Amino acid sequence: MADLLDGIARYLDGLGLLTYDPDGTSGDTFPDLMPPTPDEAVALGSYGLGEPDPVTADDESGLQVRCRGPLSGDPRPSRAKAMAVYGALHGLTDTALPDGTWLELAVAQQTPSPIGQDALGRHEHVVNFRIHTVNPTANRT
């Protein structure tokens, strides 16, 4: 099975919107994690959206993109990053992601929103998506 977070990260990296290192040793983008460094970072998280269909290969997942800005206390960099990701994913259809995931549709659940500052005063913005993918398995076609 393909890894949706890896596929999204590779796709956005390919557009030049972020820097993703699949090994996790460099870059600014991290699946399932917002590490303390670097200051400007993006965390990608997935969450369930109800019961998957046991017959068809169509899946629907939640995706949260959380963007953190620099130590300057300026909210504009994290907002700009979140807006760029929003612009790249909202309405995206029929796309093969670099990890092999077939993305049928990505729909933002809201425009990027501020979620405040972390303990070091770095601003954060978040945008959530509903991601429709095709995920065939031995029991679903």
Side-chain angles (χ1 to χ4, degrees), residues 8 61 63 85-86 88-95 103-109 128-133:
I8 293 287
S61 301
L63 169 70
V85 171
Y86 169 82
L89 293 181
H90 182 53
L92 182 64
T93 61
D94 299 327
T95 301
L103 185 143
E104 289 183 322
L105 177 64
V107 179
Q109 298 303 287
N128 294 298
F129 297 88
R130 292 179 86 88
I131 305 290
H132 301 263
T133 59

Side-chain angles (χ1 to χ4, degrees), residues 14-90:
L15 296 176
L17 299 178
L18 46 80
T19 304
Y20 176 60
D21 172 12
D23 296 324
T25 58
S26 65
D28 67 1
T29 303
F30 307 92
D32 294 322
L33 168 70
M34 180 60 91
T37 61
D39 289 328
E40 294 186 61
V42 177
L44 302 176
S46 62
Y47 53 93
L49 290 176
E51 184 176 326
D53 188 321
V55 179
T56 69
D58 296 332
D59 280 343
E60 185 177 49
S61 301
L63 169 70
Q64 183 178 80
V65 180
R66 184 173 147 205
C67 302
R68 182 175 65 210
L71 278 171
S72 69
D74 185 351
R76 292 175 293 182
S78 63
R79 183 174 57 240
K81 177 78 73 172
M83 286 300 296
V85 171
Y86 169 82
L89 293 181
H90 182 53

